[in-house]
Amino acid sequence: MRAPLRRVSALLGTAFVLASFIAPADASPPTRADRPAGGVVLPSGRLVTPAGDRWDLGDFPVGLALSPNGRLAVTSLNGRGYGAPHTNGTFCNQHAGAHAVECPGVRNDQKGDPRVTAPDEGLDVVDLATGKTVQVVAVPTRRDGAHSTCNQGYNCFGIGVTFSPDGTHLYATGGGLSAVYDFAVSGAKLTLAHTVMFPSPAASVPGPPVVGAAAGYPQGVRLTPDGRTLLVVDLYDSTIEAFDVAGGKAPLLKAQALLPGGIPGPVPVAYLYDVAVSPDGSKAYVTAQGTGTVYVVDIAALIAAGPLTTALPVAVGPAVAVPYPILGLNHPTGLAVTPDGSTLLVTGTDSDNLAVIPLAAGIPTAPTDIPLAAVARTTLGSSPDAVAVSKDGRTAFVALAGDDAVAVVDLATRAVKGYVPTGWYPTAVAVGPKDGKVYALAAKGLGSRYVPGIGGYLPQPGGTLPSGASVPDGVYYDAENMPGLLTRFPVPSSARLATYSAQARADIQHAAGFDTRPAHSPVPAVVGGSSPITHVVYIVRENRTFDQVFGDLPLRRKDVTGSPKLQLLAAATPNAHQVASSYAISDSFFSEGE
């Protein structure tokens, strides 16, 4: 799920136009060899200067898996289904006829035509040997009105993606669908072998609809070390499923257990996120975002409990799952177990820390909290959301979504050794099984990068806007204009890590020296300072870049910084231009919202 927009307060004038969500950073999508000098400035005013090799991906990648032979990196896309390599999957309305609510941007006379495709979430498969990226979607599929919130009822993916130990299968979770996808792997090719739909227990809850009743929103997924049992956790249902995948056959649901803090009730409490498995395959560890809890699940007891019926489920007993509240851990998300099974690592996304939890016979004991912030007291926080461990178990690598970096943590000294810059908003991190290098996934990549005339899907050319202006040909909708990014770098030496750390901190503080306000500025120089401003009116323009709407202003105004060549919608926004001319406008408003 996309990161929530950050709430930013500002005092910039009697009336304020907020229109600068993303400024395109480059006129063409960068490639591995195209490294922008000095980095890319984000709308937050920060820089991103990704270290190492890079590969462009589709929209908002969130999950990452590396094949056991080290050849493939597979990422799950949780956005709108667009972005490099710009692939669409499901035929538009192939099962439901032409409905105006579906396939936005496709003309009515084209709906139902099998040549017209609709966007699917999917997987990006990066062949690390050749550098090529291919997008794979789970088609064919079936139209299901009960899941219409999931991309108009077609294919969706969650954060979960994992290879079988022998590398012949890859399993991925269905996100907005209660589904698990089973892909057969041959070389660098993924082919959908099975799609397994499984019931959401919330559907049987009497009374008002329960959140997740149509789909439990399966997220994290892991295989036991023997490759026989696939474990899946559901965000909304607060359930954990065990599937029998032995022999590479279609996954069979062995058990489905409700963890404490889940249904019954109209609103879930636990919000399960990810799952890890002990090296001996006896225990599973599950993070619950809403309760600051890690559940310890006995896998054998889970399987023995059997499948839930369609009746209202009852939370499983302590024989199956035991909750362990971790003090000081707010919003736990990513987790990993060290190779020797002695330690559990959990990221606290809202507490900006890593909990290092010793395990006694697989049971958590007193944790140690490691603060992770690259720069103290930043407005956004570091937001750690994923963790991986080196093969020798001595070092942890933590994705810091808020700091656009990976923290390198020494597990012996329980201290952060340094930071390595990544793309914007890293969501996953992994260690190469063969090369030992670190792979980092950035959901927002380098921000908006496409300019008009380089492909596009929405809207169809030839239409008209309410103002009578023609619809421009090309991409101007931010939701499909922000390719994700995969980066790879060797574990840095101490000297190189010191350089990386200095760069990561400088990137975060890039905008700190931009305060050029005059002495009479109504914007106070310090938080809590006085100002004559009493009210601020925000006019928010969603999903458009500043230059797309106001790129024409620098042609006649010296107080606005913009790019006229990127202007697309000036003729369609006369009211916004009038407000901008009559009151105040900000072309450098530092917001994290895309």
Side-chain angles (χ1 to χ4, degrees):
M1 302 178 71
R2 286 193 180 277
L5 299 180
R6 311 299 185 187
R7 296 182 179 180
V8 182
S9 298
L11 298 171
L12 293 178
T14 306
F16 183 89
V17 177
L18 182 143
S20 50
F21 276 85
I22 299 290
D26 199 344
S28 60
T31 64
R32 290 179 59 192
D34 182 14
R35 293 173 171 81
V40 175
V41 180
L42 301 180
S44 61
R46 296 181 176 185
L47 279 177
V48 284
T49 55
D53 298 319
R54 62 176 68 173
W55 290 268
D56 282 332
L57 303 172
D59 186 32
F60 214 81
V62 289
L64 173 64
L66 303 179
S67 60
N69 63 6
R71 178 177 179 178
L72 302 180
V74 179
T75 69
S76 59
L77 307 176
N78 201 217
R80 287 175 53 92
Y82 297 92
H86 220 70
T87 300
N88 295 325
T90 302
F91 292 149
C92 176
N93 290 314
Q94 60 177 322
H95 302 295
H99 295 290
V101 72
E102 296 164 6
C103 303
V106 176
R107 298 199 305 262
N108 286 334
D109 62 348
Q110 293 180 325
K111 292 180 179 179
D113 185 335
R115 295 171 298 178
V116 180
T117 56
D120 282 304
E121 296 176 9
L123 302 174
D124 270 346
V125 182
V126 181
D127 187 337
L128 298 171
T130 65
K132 294 182 178 180
T133 300
V134 176
Q135 192 173 93
V136 177
V137 293
V139 292
T141 187
R142 62 189 179 92
R143 177 73 172 91
D144 185 351
H147 301 92
S148 60
T149 57
C150 174
N151 210 12
Q152 287 78 49
Y154 297 107
N155 294 300
C156 290
F157 283 78
I159 67 165
V161 57
T162 189
F163 279 93
S164 61
D166 62 6
T168 61
H169 284 260
L170 180 133
Y171 301 94
T173 53
L177 292 174
S178 286
V180 171
Y181 304 113
D182 173 12
F183 291 88
V185 182
S186 177
K189 183 179 181 180
L190 267 62
T191 304
L192 183 65
H194 307 100
T195 297
V196 181
M197 306 288 293
F198 52 94
S200 170
S204 63
V205 176
V210 175
V211 173
Y217 216 100
Q219 290 282 57
V221 61
R222 287 292 185 277
L223 272 164
T224 52
D226 60 9
R228 300 181 61 88
T229 304
L230 186 75
L231 300 171
V232 177
V233 296
D234 300 316
L235 177 74
Y236 289 150
D237 280 350
S238 299
T239 54
I240 182 170
E241 286 83 29
F243 292 89
D244 183 2
V245 296
K249 299 178 181 178
L252 301 175
L253 183 62
K254 276 187 174 181
Q256 186 182 48
L258 177 70
L259 301 187
I263 345 174
V267 178
V269 176
Y271 292 108
L272 305 184
Y273 186 76
D274 206 357
V275 57
V277 178
S278 61
D280 64 4
S282 65
K283 299 287 192 301
Y285 305 94
V286 179
T287 47
Q289 299 171 91
T291 60
T293 295
V294 173
Y295 292 104
V296 179
V297 179
D298 186 292
I299 296 176
L302 168 65
I303 295 173
L308 291 173
T309 66
T310 56
L312 180 66
V314 178
V316 297
V320 175
V322 178
Y324 286 87
I326 308 298
L327 296 178
L329 191 66
N330 192 354
H331 201 71
T333 49
L335 74 172
V337 182
T338 54
D340 62 1
S342 66
T343 308
L344 175 67
L345 308 174
V346 185
T347 58
T349 302
D350 284 355
S351 46
D352 291 346
N353 66 329
L354 178 71
V356 181
I357 309 170
L359 299 172
I363 304 303
T365 60
T368 299
D369 289 339
I370 301 178
L372 295 172
V375 176
R377 297 184 299 279
T378 59
T379 302
L380 300 176
S382 298
S383 299
D385 55 6
V387 58
V389 187
S390 62
K391 291 188 289 184
D392 61 11
R394 298 177 180 177
T395 307
F397 303 96
V398 186
L400 305 181
D403 284 344
D404 308 318
V406 167
V408 181
V409 179
D410 188 322
L411 293 178
T413 62
R414 301 290 199 266
V416 177
K417 297 172 64 177
Y419 304 88
V420 180
T422 66
W424 187 9
Y425 207 87
T427 50
V429 63
V431 176
K434 297 295 184 180
D435 59 15
K437 293 181 179 180
V438 181
Y439 294 75
L441 193 63
K444 301 182 183 184
L446 299 173
S448 293
R449 288 187 275 163
Y450 298 151
V451 297
I454 307 179
Y457 180 75
L458 293 176
Q460 285 291 319
T464 57
L465 298 168
S467 66
S470 296
V471 176
D473 183 5
V475 174
Y476 71 85
Y477 190 64
D478 278 0
E480 57 260 15
N481 192 16
M482 197 180 301
L485 194 70
L486 175 67
T487 55
R488 176 184 63 185
F489 54 88
V491 176
S493 64
S494 296
R496 175 59 63 87
L497 185 57
T499 301
Y500 279 154
S501 300
Q503 182 66 57
R505 293 188 176 100
D507 290 349
I508 293 171
Q509 298 173 310
H510 178 67
F514 289 173
D515 188 356
T516 57
R517 75 194 75 193
H520 63 278
S521 171
V523 182
V526 296
V527 176
S530 62
S531 171
I533 299 172
T534 57
H535 295 81
V536 178
V537 177
Y538 291 86
I539 301 177
V540 180
R541 309 199 60 80
E542 185 183 14
N543 295 327
R544 304 290 180 265
T545 70
F546 178 87
D547 292 316
Q548 287 168 350
V549 179
F550 293 116
D552 61 312
L553 293 185
L555 296 175
R556 55 185 180 275
R557 293 177 57 168
K558 295 182 179 180
D559 63 330
V560 178
T561 301
S563 179
K565 68 179 181 179
L566 298 177
Q567 182 277 125
L568 288 170
L569 298 171
T573 54
N575 291 340
H577 278 70
Q578 179 61 42
V579 172
S581 299
S582 301
Y583 299 99
I585 186 166
S586 171
D587 54 86
S588 300
F589 185 76
F590 298 144
S591 167
E592 278 283 350
E594 72 258 30

